[in-house]
Amino acid sequence: MDALLFYLAEMEEILEASKKSMLFSDKVAVDKGRLLEIIGELRLNLPEDIRMAQRLLNDHDRVLEDAQQKAKVIIEDAELEAKKLVRDDEITRRAHAEGEDIIDQAKKDARDMRMSAIEYADEMLAKSESKIREIMGNLDNQHKAVIDYFSQNVDVLYENRQQLRNY
């Protein structure tokens, strides 16, 4: 992101340092090669920000999968424990009650873990969304600046051609 701001500042410096192309006008002549070089650097720096946002989205999926895996293991462990306790009649009654408690607790723990994973995933998605919106805003501003720059150059060229025709 800092690289993008750096290149935008560099473009502004080029424009500020450029010589006026016509008297009594804001139109300037700029170093086209340098501006094209900066635009190329901007393009090279954009994909890294986008890749970073994609990594955040991928982390969300991994965290959610981990939480679901842990919940599944807890439930399976609880069910195995309940089956072991069911062997004797007297033990069976106690085991049945304890097994239900274990399963209920495991389900509660699993729900809690799922909710935590969902909250974490939502937070990561919100951060990703915010970052992507920021990148989109920067891209839109850069795009507008480039369009304005080229529009001004086209206007200058058109005015120059008109002046040549009037001579």
Side-chain angles (χ1 to χ4, degrees):
M1 196 60 180
D2 291 337
L4 297 176
L5 296 175
F6 169 78
Y7 291 122
L8 287 173
E10 205 169 353
M11 289 173 70
E12 286 175 341
E13 287 178 21
I14 289 171
L15 288 174
E16 292 297 327
S18 298
K19 296 179 182 176
K20 287 191 174 189
S21 61
M22 295 177 54
L23 291 176
F24 307 111
S25 170
D26 286 339
K27 311 273 188 249
V28 293
V30 294
D31 181 356
K32 177 182 175 182
R34 182 62 187 134
L35 280 178
L36 289 174
E37 182 180 309
I38 292 171
I39 290 170
E41 291 294 326
L42 283 168
R43 282 194 181 108
L44 290 175
N45 282 289
L46 287 178
E48 181 56 36
D49 289 339
I50 293 169
R51 274 181 272 175
M52 183 173 37
Q54 185 61 45
R55 281 193 297 268
L56 289 173
L57 288 174
N58 291 344
D59 283 347
H60 152 266
D61 294 336
R62 183 184 47 76
V63 167
L64 192 56
E65 260 183 69
D66 288 347
Q68 289 173 341
Q69 240 355 34
K70 287 177 183 177
K72 183 179 176 182
V73 167
I74 289 172
I75 290 172
E76 288 173 357
D77 288 346
E79 289 173 350
L80 286 174
E81 185 67 27
K83 285 179 185 176
K84 287 178 189 175
L85 296 174
V86 174
R87 291 186 187 141
D88 277 352
D89 279 308
E90 189 175 329
I91 296 175
T92 301
R93 282 180 285 230
R94 283 191 235 148
H96 183 63
E98 288 180 22
E100 285 180 7
D101 290 343
I102 291 171
I103 289 172
D104 289 342
Q105 185 60 44
K107 287 179 180 177
K108 182 187 177 297
D109 290 346
R111 276 191 303 270
D112 291 345
M113 289 177 76
R114 269 190 226 115
M115 290 306 295
S116 293
I118 288 170
E119 288 173 7
Y120 177 77
D122 183 56
E123 182 180 316
M124 290 290 101
L125 287 172
K127 287 180 181 179
S128 297
E129 177 186 357
S130 175
K131 186 68 174 173
I132 290 171
R133 286 186 189 278
E134 179 184 341
I135 291 168
M136 286 172 47
N138 289 339
L139 287 173
D140 190 43
N141 290 339
Q142 292 169 9
H143 179 260
K144 286 177 185 174
V146 169
I147 294 297
D148 289 344
Y149 170 76
F150 284 114
S151 293
Q152 290 173 359
N153 281 331
V154 166
D155 291 344
V156 169
L157 292 172
Y158 178 78
E159 289 175 21
N160 289 342
R161 288 180 60 221
Q162 293 303 320
Q163 288 176 356
L164 285 173
R165 288 183 183 157
N166 290 337
Y167 284 104

